[in-house]
Amino acid sequence: MRLTLAEPSYLKESISIISDLVNEARFKITPNAIELVAMDPANVAMVVFKLLSSCFTEYDVKKDTEIAINLSNLKQVLRRASPKDMLTLELDADNMLKVTLKSNTTRTFNLPIIELEEKEQKVPDLKFPVTIKTSSSILNEAIADVDVVGESVAFIAEPKKFTLNAEGDLNQAKIEIKEDDATKVSTSSDEKFKSKYSIEYLKKMINGSKLSEDVVIQFSKDYPLKLEYKAVDKVMLSFILAPRVEND
Amino acid sequence: MRLTLAEPSYLKESISIISDLVNEARFKITPNAIELVAMDPANVAMVVFKLLSSCFTEYDVKKDTEIAINLSNLKQVLRRASPKDMLTLELDADNMLKVTLKSNTTRTFNLPIIELEEKEQKVPDLKFPVTIKTSSSILNEAIADVDVVGESVAFIAEPKKFTLNAEGDLNQAKIEIKEDDATKVSTSSDEKFKSKYSIEYLKKMINGSKLSEDVVIQFSKDYPLKLEYKAVDKVMLSFILAPRVEND
Amino acid sequence: MRLTLAEPSYLKESISIISDLVNEARFKITPNAIELVAMDPANVAMVVFKLLSSCFTEYDVKKDTEIAINLSNLKQVLRRASPKDMLTLELDADNMLKVTLKSNTTRTFNLPIIELEEKEQKVPDLKFPVTIKTSSSILNEAIADVDVVGESVAFIAEPKKFTLNAEGDLNQAKIEIKEDDATKVSTSSDEKFKSKYSIEYLKKMINGSKLSEDVVIQFSKDYPLKLEYKAVDKVMLSFILAPRVEND
């Protein structure tokens, strides 16, 4: 296996974001893509990541390969890649992942491949009556707004309108995002769909905005949330977040 | 009551500066201005703030209104206002202050109005034989200089010269600011006027430089100091600081 | 003695770098230069600093003078010098070092001259079969790379190639720097020269890159390392670092 990226930023940013949620994970390297599906240790959030072979200038994968890696370890190494570096990933004879950064110097890092007891995660089959497409920065601002107020936020969708609502011990915040050029709200019916999510988790997930200017938000009543960041033919990073079901 | 600012920065910066000194305070909203007079908890410093109605694009105040607010709470909400937001302040039926930030989204924050036992503060009637007008950045640099050395600084005025003097356990610092295009020093007589002030407080007060390029400094012998930052027809933020009277 | 710098940055940066390694030190002021030779408290690293009289717009030194100073104290004062300030150093009647910063204001700092028991340090006479000249930024990047991995790094020189090698509990890193326009590698023979050094110390020393775009690296087998940063006719800052001799 030998994979070379002329532009390391998609891999670098993705691993940095994922490692905020998951410490160790298994990559599946197929002839089409590098894939990762992982749960956070608290079993509240799932990450689904795919870096397509079309991103790579060299993509030599004969057969499906699985390697488990400590992500904060990998993140630290990838942080050393600058935009001018060619980044190559290889499997070493000694069961190490070899990361080579090549510019005027050649820098090689060997990372241990770890044993991961956890069995393979499957992406759950979810049905979403609500799909909102908006700019990543609008969602980022809204999450920063509700973060001033509380620990959880209600996502509320109705035709042509997406609302975020948070109530803290003292303050309340309400962010209304109406359908316009930047935002499309699709719901399967005229009713209101409402579900609550942890702001702490959302703050980690919205870093996906580093990969894409747009985000697709999907949810239902008291149901998991899915956020998807995508750069066509390059990278897809999505998150599934369990709802907070409370009596209120 | 309904007040709208097209440019939220004067309010935002002022509250951020004031909340470094005062935690809870009462605003008086009159047909002419929003005003605040407050003492810091240690009774060492007073803040006097006035945001004139001419700053607002909409200023609908029928009668004088007083509302007490937790300032760090308000600061956190105002921090969410970006320069492109229209900011509206209203009084809610539920005794909440409603802050609306409107751009492509509409974001509403409700803050509780609090009970403040403290009675109204009156600005003391002070006579200042010394008035120095200089650029805010000159005063900022001088305070940063003396901060290297000690905890208190002597302000010394004499005709055509303003001197700051600090002595620490080890070092001494002396900053001489002579009258020139940027600085005017007026004293009521030819004598020297000297008084000492806490550098810790001064460091908070000189953030008023975010509102105005100039500052007016007034004091006398072993007497309170007044710093005033003003943007004509818009905002006035001044501080009164008790002297440190020590045997030295 | 009276010394004036129109451009204080060489002195300011040098003292800031040196004070990371040495807390108190003795300056020798001769008619040609300000010089400093000092060991770090752990006796692992030596600093040799020379600021030439040609840097100064005024350099009035009648006879050799020695003054010992607390460097973090001096650093804090020099940090207050902005590029537009004229910086003057004088010896005060009260056995103080007087630092004057002059622009539109005149700012004077007095620092105590301290007693230093330690006797004068002598620069050891070292023979280096290896001399590498490269750009400071290449060395900086290489040290940042190995810092991800471990606590010590092996410097390895052979004809036309300079390699840095680090092994941590988990990862390994290898940086290969080949001779090219930016890098020259001279060795006295065809053999490999290898020696290990502390990354913690190297991280402090490579701040010398603030003084010069190039660095000269000299070492031998299990032998001290010398790093030299130089701006011709102005400033020279070099470091000598003891090797880490381990069984590996």
Side-chain angles (χ1 to χ4, degrees), chain A residues 73 77 92 94 96-99 107-112, chain C residues 145-146 148-150 164-175:
Chain A
N73 197 347
V77 167
D92 200 276
D94 305 334
M96 301 284 260
L97 176 68
K98 183 171 159 190
V99 180
R107 300 135 71 201
T108 319
F109 295 87
N110 285 300
L111 287 82
Chain C
D145 286 338
V146 294
V148 168
V149 163
L164 293 92
N165 225 326
E167 281 180 41
D169 292 342
L170 295 173
N171 306 348
Q172 302 163 358
K174 184 165 118 180
I175 292 92

Side-chain angles (χ1 to χ4, degrees), chain A residues 141 145 171-174 176, chain B residues 73 80 106-110:
Chain A
E141 290 298 307
D145 286 339
N171 305 348
Q172 302 163 357
K174 184 164 118 181
E176 280 192 356
Chain B
N73 197 348
R80 296 299 312 143
T106 302
R107 300 135 72 202
T108 318
F109 295 87
N110 285 300

